[in-house]
Amino acid sequence: MPNPAPAGVADAVRDGFVGAIGNTPLIALPKLSAALGRTVLGKAEHLNPGGSVKDRAARGIIEDFEARRLLGPGGVVVEGTAGNTGIGLTLVGNARGYRTVIVMPDDQAPEKYALLRTYGAELHVVEAIAFSDERNYYHVARRIAESIPGAVWANQFENTANRAAHEQTTGPEIYAQTQGVLDAFVAAAGTGGTIAGVARALKARDSRIRVVLADPYGSALYAYVKTGALAVEGDSTAEGIGIKRIVANFKDAPVDDAVRVDDRTMVEMAHWLLREEGLFVGGSAALNVAAAARVARGLPAGARVATILCDGGDRYRSRLYDAGWLAENDLVPAATDLSFL
Ligand code: PMP
C-alpha cells in the first residue's frame, strides 16, 4: 500500500505559474537578529516563480484587466518597467496566452534585459531620461499601448490593482506568519505598491504596527514623508526603487516615518547577507534589511521588524556582485562585521 500523503500536502499543490505566486516564506535572519537583540524578518519574495515581489503585482494587474473584460485570449499587455514587473507580466502572460511589450530604460542590470528576451517579451530599450521628458520609458510605454489596438497598459505606478495585490496577499501573509506579533514593517518604494498595500493590510489588523519607508538617495520620498514636500538629494545605483514624484500607489499610504540608506550600506549589507546568512539578494532587498535593522535598533529589545527581500542576487551578478563594477563605483565591500550599520 502506498504511503498516505502527509496531512496538508495535497492542499499545497499550486495551480500553474500564477498559482505559484505568493505564500512565500517569512525568514528570520538569525545572525542579524542575534547581533541586534531584535528579530528582523525577511519576506522571501525572491522565491516567487518569476523571481521577484513584482510577480504579485503582475498577477493582480492582469487579473483586474480580465475581470473588467479589457484583456482576453490573444491580448497584448504593455508596460514600462525597471525589469521585474516586465518579467512578472511576461511570465503570467505566457501562462495566460497574452503577448507582452516591455519598455525599459537603458541603465538597468544587463541580466534583466536578457531574461525578458529569453522569456519572449518584445523588449524596447530607451534612453534613461527624466520623467518630464516624453522619451522617458513610462511615456514610451503609454504611447506604444495606445498604438496597438486592444492592448492594455499595465501602468503599475497609477494602477492601484498593484497596491491591492499586496493588500490582499503580502500584508495578510505577513500578519498570519507573525501571528500578529509584529512591531514594524519597513520597505522601499518603486511604485509604492508593496509598502502601501502591506501597510494598509497590517494597520487594518493592528494600528500599532509602525510602517517605515526605506529610501535610497536620489529619491524624493524620504523628504516627502519627513516634511510633506518632494525633494531629491544625491543619487543611487539601486534598481527598481526610489521615486521623484507622487504616484497613486504611494499616495495616502499610511507611512509613519522614513529612513534613508546610502549605497555603501546597501552593498555592505548585500555581501554580509550572502556571506553570513546564505541569502543571495538584490540591492533593494539589502537596502530594506539595513533599514529594518536600523528601525529595529530604535525599538525595545525583543522587537520584531519585517521587511521585503524583493528579488534575488542572480539578476545583479554583473553589478552588485562583480568585483570590477564595485571597484568602478567605489563600492567594494570592506566590512567584516555589522559596523556599517
Ligand atoms: N525592488 C526591486 C528590485 C523592484 O524591481 C521593485 C519594483 N520596482 C521594488 C523593489 C519596489 O516595489 P514596489 O514597486 O512595490 O514599490
Side-chain angles (χ1 to χ4, degrees), residues 52-54 57 82-85 112 156 162 166 188-195 239-241 284-285 288 310-311 316:
S52 89
V53 67
K54 300 301 305 205
N84 282 333
T85 302
K112 292 192 282 190
Q156 57 174 327
N162 168 7
H166 295 287
T191 62
T194 307
I195 189 169
E239 296 185 33
I241 55 171
S284 63
N288 275 349
C310 317
D311 66 1
Y316 308 97

Side-chain angles (χ1 to χ4, degrees), residues 65-155:
F65 282 129
E66 289 171 341
R68 293 192 282 139
R69 305 206 179 284
L70 295 171
L71 189 61
V76 180
V77 181
V78 183
E79 183 59 322
T81 162
N84 282 333
T85 302
I87 288 168
L89 288 170
T90 300
L91 295 173
V92 173
N94 288 354
R96 289 276 170 89
Y98 310 131
R99 189 162 75 80
T100 38
V101 182
I102 301 300
V103 185
M104 280 180 71
D106 64 4
D107 59 352
Q108 302 298 298
E111 288 88 341
K112 292 192 282 190
Y113 307 102
L115 284 174
L116 278 162
R117 290 194 175 102
T118 300
Y119 295 166
E122 178 185 318
L123 180 64
H124 297 251
V125 181
V126 301
E127 187 185 344
I129 199 161
F131 180 78
S132 56
D133 191 307
E134 280 297 312
R135 292 170 295 168
N136 176 279
Y137 71 94
Y138 176 87
H139 305 299
V140 174
R142 183 191 64 238
R143 286 197 298 273
I144 290 176
E146 286 165 359
S147 75
I148 302 172
V152 293
W153 176 33
N155 195 6

Side-chain angles (χ1 to χ4, degrees), residues 8-25 43-45 47-49 55-56 59 173 177:
V9 166
D11 295 341
V13 172
R14 310 277 195 98
D15 187 14
F17 177 90
V18 176
I21 296 170
N23 286 315
T24 52
K43 184 73 168 150
E45 294 301 294
L47 300 182
N48 275 303
D55 287 2
R56 296 182 191 259
R59 175 176 63 184
E173 287 171 29
Q177 287 169 310

